Amino acid sequence: MVVEMEVNNGENTTNNWVPIMKKLHMNVLGEKMKKIPKLTCKTIWRVGKEDPRRVIHSLKVGISLTLVSLLYLMEPLFKGFGSNAIWALMTVVVVLEFTAGATLCKGLNRGLGTLLAGSLAFLIEYVATKTGHVFRAIFIGAALFFIGAIATYMRFIPYIKRNYDYGVVIFLLTFNLITVSSYRVNNVLKIAHERFYTIAIGCGICLLMSLLIFPNWSGEDLHNSTAAKFEGLAKSIEACVNEYFSDEEQQKAKENSSDLEDPIYNGYKTVLDSKSFDETLALYASWEPRHSRHCYRFPWQQYVKLGNVLRHFGYTIVALHGCLQTEIQTPRSVRAMFKDPCIRLSGEVAKALKELGDSIRYRRHCSPEILSDHLHEALQDLNKAIKSQPKLFIGSKNNTNKLTLATIVSRGQSGALNSRKGSLSSVKTDTSALLEWKSKLMGGSTTHENSKENYERKSLRPTLSKIAITSLEFSEALPFAAFASLLVEIVARLDLVIEEVEELGRIAHFKEYNDPDDENVVVTIDEKHSRPLHELPTHDAGD
């Protein structure tokens, strides 16, 4: 209010506006600074609420760093390790990861790389001392060249890069430090021993925290994320079909709503972006011990294969979602004729996907009736509905008494073309319009016209593709045909998903499916013979 009074009462000069703008800028900056603590607290609370394990992991890292710092803080331990205790602190910071598999992978890589590098460095040092003082430097330089080149080249091997890339980096670092230091330092063996012990202490503390204190397993994360993908895909299909057949009021209500998240996009986005995430979790899960009650090895790579199949399944949903955003749409009156079978079909597909997700989550085989008769009936109903309206998909030969898609597009284009100079006098829905404008463009290219006419011709070029659409009498139901074909394609690809889930259940030894209806069956027992009545021997009427 003070600023507004100054603007109104002051003179409208540049000298008066400069301090006013500065005050406005300072007020806006002050308001933003006041919001920073509130936004920070909200962000911290949201991150912890999304996954409470993050809070536990942070506490575990703090405890680990405190334990390692005792090598420096306690005088007896510091005398034993000296300044090399800093390597234990660095090991905890680098190795301790969120999941036990990631910690095991990096910890064992670091320990194995350090051990191999130290052993090889001592061997190089032993051979170098036998060559004499002159050739010692040459031999060390040659060893660094060959070992460095070979180790770096090995990092390009897919298997080593996938499993032992971090270990090779630690090997190179440790080997070069020990080998080069041995040329100037005499007691390098003692330094290497102390450094190896401190790294072992750091790795031991990391493994203790990761495996024994509230462990987070990469395999469990991969398992749960895979089960959640099915629910996301099911929600996307249902939301996509429901939005396609929604009326104008529902569409306007959705556009005016403040919810910026698209449930269709959020459902399949996680599936499409999960390739690297699944591969990383599967790699870390392969390092984890078999912590379940079963002793067999769990097929984590099968989860990666299942994820690939789900991504291909998700691409079809992306195409189905694209049908909602195309410029040419089937009228809602035509869509309403196929609403019930399509919604019923999407519901059955979503039901099957949820059943597959539950079978993975609870580690049991899926129901034998997952592809129930209801799904086949919904397909048959959609097929009958399409066959019952052949004229919609074939189109009429004359457009005098019927408002076709071509006339709708042509009417929309006529207004835009008439508003420009040199536009068409009328939009024709036959091929004569294309031939006429093609001849004009060809004639104009052979003659030298002014730049204004060339600009007008260029401005009309984007409209020619829509004129080409109007010259062909497309059916009103043609966009719906694409939508229906993608919906049927989803049903076809559902078989591939079911096969991969069954293969996963077979390899992972999932428990058999138990029908809950069977548990409610009451069996009458004969108290005298203690056997069910249907197992008692039957007698003839004569007996």
Side-chain angles (χ1 to χ4, degrees):
M1 294 298 294
V2 176
V3 176
E4 292 179 357
M5 293 176 63
E6 292 182 0
V7 173
N8 295 327
N9 297 330
E11 297 180 359
N12 191 9
T13 60
T14 306
N15 295 331
N16 292 334
W17 275 104
V18 172
I20 293 174
M21 295 304 296
K22 287 184 178 179
K23 289 182 179 180
L24 286 173
H25 180 71
M26 293 299 296
N27 291 335
V28 173
L29 185 61
E31 293 295 331
K32 290 183 178 180
M33 293 295 293
K34 291 179 181 179
K35 293 180 180 179
I36 288 178
K38 186 177 181 180
L39 292 176
T40 303
C41 294
K42 285 184 177 181
T43 303
I44 294 174
W45 177 261
R46 177 177 54 82
V47 171
K49 188 177 181 181
E50 288 177 355
D51 192 351
R53 298 180 303 171
R54 297 170 180 172
V55 180
I56 298 176
H57 176 70
S58 302
L59 296 176
K60 288 163 62 175
V61 173
I63 295 173
S64 301
L65 293 175
T66 304
L67 292 176
V68 172
S69 64
L70 296 178
L71 298 177
Y72 258 102
L73 300 178
M74 298 183 67
E75 190 67 23
L77 295 177
F78 181 76
K79 290 181 179 179
F81 296 99
S83 60
N84 288 313
I86 194 66
W87 287 91
L89 190 66
M90 294 173 59
T91 301
V92 171
V93 174
V94 174
V95 171
L96 188 56
E97 294 288 342
F98 182 72
T99 60
T103 303
L104 277 168
C105 180
K106 297 190 73 173
L108 295 180
N109 269 274
R110 188 176 180 85
L112 185 62
T114 302
L115 182 61
L116 292 178
S119 303
L120 185 59
F122 287 129
L123 179 62
I124 296 297
E125 175 64 17
Y126 177 78
V127 176
T129 53
K130 301 298 182 181
T131 58
H133 185 73
V134 178
F135 295 99
R136 184 180 180 185
I138 300 175
F139 183 79
I140 290 176
L144 292 176
F145 171 76
F146 284 108
I147 298 299
I150 293 173
T152 304
Y153 185 79
M154 290 178 64
R155 293 183 63 189
F156 294 104
I157 300 175
Y159 180 78
I160 294 179
K161 185 175 184 62
R162 184 172 61 253
N163 294 277
Y164 304 104
D165 184 71
Y166 181 71
V168 175
V169 173
I170 296 299
F171 170 82
L172 278 174
L173 177 63
T174 307
F175 176 77
N176 283 275
L177 287 176
I178 296 177
T179 305
V180 175
S181 300
S182 64
Y183 187 75
R184 297 294 182 181
V185 181
N186 294 327
N187 58 346
V188 67
L189 181 62
K190 181 181 178 182
I191 296 174
H193 281 172
E194 293 177 352
R195 187 168 298 177
F196 179 77
Y197 292 152
T198 53
I199 291 176
I201 291 173
C203 290
I205 292 176
C206 292
L207 295 179
L208 178 67
M209 288 292 176
S210 296
L211 297 176
L212 299 181
I213 301 178
F214 298 104
N216 300 321
W217 304 106
S218 299
E220 291 295 329
D221 290 346
L222 179 60
H223 179 85
N224 295 330
S225 65
T226 302
K229 291 177 186 177
F230 288 90
E231 296 181 359
L233 293 176
K235 292 179 180 178
S236 292
I237 294 174
E238 285 185 319
C240 186
V241 175
N242 291 332
E243 183 176 343
Y244 187 79
F245 292 101
S246 61
D247 53 19
E248 295 181 359
E249 295 180 358
Q250 294 175 350
Q251 193 69 22
K252 290 180 180 180
K254 181 181 178 182
E255 293 176 356
N256 297 330
S257 63
S258 59
D259 190 8
L260 300 178
E261 295 183 358
D262 188 359
I264 304 174
Y265 176 73
N266 292 335
Y268 61 74
K269 178 180 179 295
T270 306
V271 179
L272 300 183
D273 298 340
S274 64
K275 180 175 171 40
S276 59
F277 180 75
D278 291 349
E279 292 178 350
T280 302
L281 287 180
L283 171 63
Y284 291 153
S286 63
W287 287 83
E288 292 177 350
R290 302 170 191 178
H291 52 277
S292 62
R293 57 193 179 96
H294 303 287
C295 297
Y296 51 81
R297 184 178 179 84
F298 214 75
W300 300 117
Q301 290 301 324
Q302 186 66 26
Y303 282 87
V304 179
K305 293 178 62 178
L306 179 58
N308 294 332
V309 175
L310 286 177
R311 271 188 295 277
H312 287 284
F313 187 84
Y315 295 148
T316 311
I317 303 178
V318 174
L320 193 71
H321 189 198
C323 293
L324 276 67
Q325 302 172 349
T326 55
E327 294 186 3
I328 303 174
Q329 293 285 344
T330 300
R332 297 187 183 277
S333 59
V334 178
R335 298 188 207 178
M337 302 171 63
F338 310 97
K339 178 179 179 180
D340 292 337
C342 287
I343 291 180
R344 183 183 176 190
L345 182 61
S346 64
E348 293 297 330
V349 173
K351 181 180 177 181
L353 288 173
K354 292 177 182 178
E355 169 62 24
L356 292 173
D358 291 339
S359 67
I360 293 179
R361 177 175 284 105
Y362 301 114
R363 289 184 172 87
R364 60 168 174 79
H365 289 282
C366 56
S367 172
E369 299 180 355
I370 185 170
L371 293 179
S372 61
D373 296 335
H374 299 290
L375 179 62
H376 296 288
E377 291 175 0
L379 279 174
Q380 294 295 330
D381 292 342
L382 179 60
N383 187 31
K384 292 178 181 178
I386 293 175
K387 287 184 176 180
S388 64
Q389 302 293 335
K391 294 183 179 180
L392 287 175
F393 298 93
I394 297 175
S396 60
K397 295 183 180 180
N398 52 8
N399 57 352
T400 57
N401 298 324
K402 191 174 182 179
L403 185 63
T404 60
L405 181 65
T407 57
I408 294 173
V409 177
S410 64
R411 289 179 182 179
Q413 288 297 316
S414 60
L417 291 174
N418 289 329
S419 61
R420 299 181 181 180
K421 293 182 180 181
S423 61
L424 287 173
S425 60
S426 62
V427 179
K428 301 179 180 180
T429 57
D430 54 5
T431 56
S432 60
L434 291 177
L435 296 175
E436 180 181 347
W437 279 97
K438 185 176 180 181
S439 62
K440 287 185 178 182
L441 291 176
M442 293 297 293
S445 61
T446 56
T447 61
H448 297 282
E449 298 179 352
N450 55 29
S451 59
K452 183 178 181 180
E453 293 177 353
N454 291 333
Y455 174 77
E456 290 176 355
R457 282 202 306 272
K458 291 180 180 179
S459 64
L460 288 174
R461 285 179 185 174
T463 65
L464 293 180
S465 60
K466 294 185 179 181
I467 296 175
I469 294 176
T470 60
S471 66
L472 302 175
E473 291 191 10
F474 285 117
S475 168
E476 290 179 336
L478 184 61
F480 170 76
F483 183 85
S485 64
L486 289 172
L487 194 59
V488 175
E489 179 67 18
I490 287 176
V491 178
R493 294 196 178 191
L494 185 62
D495 290 335
L496 301 177
V497 178
I498 294 175
E499 290 178 2
E500 289 298 328
V501 173
E502 291 177 347
E503 181 68 15
L504 174 63
R506 185 185 62 82
I507 299 176
H509 303 279
F510 283 174
K511 59 184 178 181
E512 295 296 331
Y513 175 79
N514 293 325
D515 192 354
D517 296 335
D518 295 341
E519 299 177 358
N520 299 326
V521 177
V522 179
V523 180
T524 305
I525 305 298
D526 182 30
E527 297 179 358
K528 180 178 180 180
H529 299 86
S530 298
R531 286 186 296 174
L533 292 179
H534 63 81
E535 293 184 3
L536 294 177
T538 58
H539 301 278
D540 296 335
D543 297 337

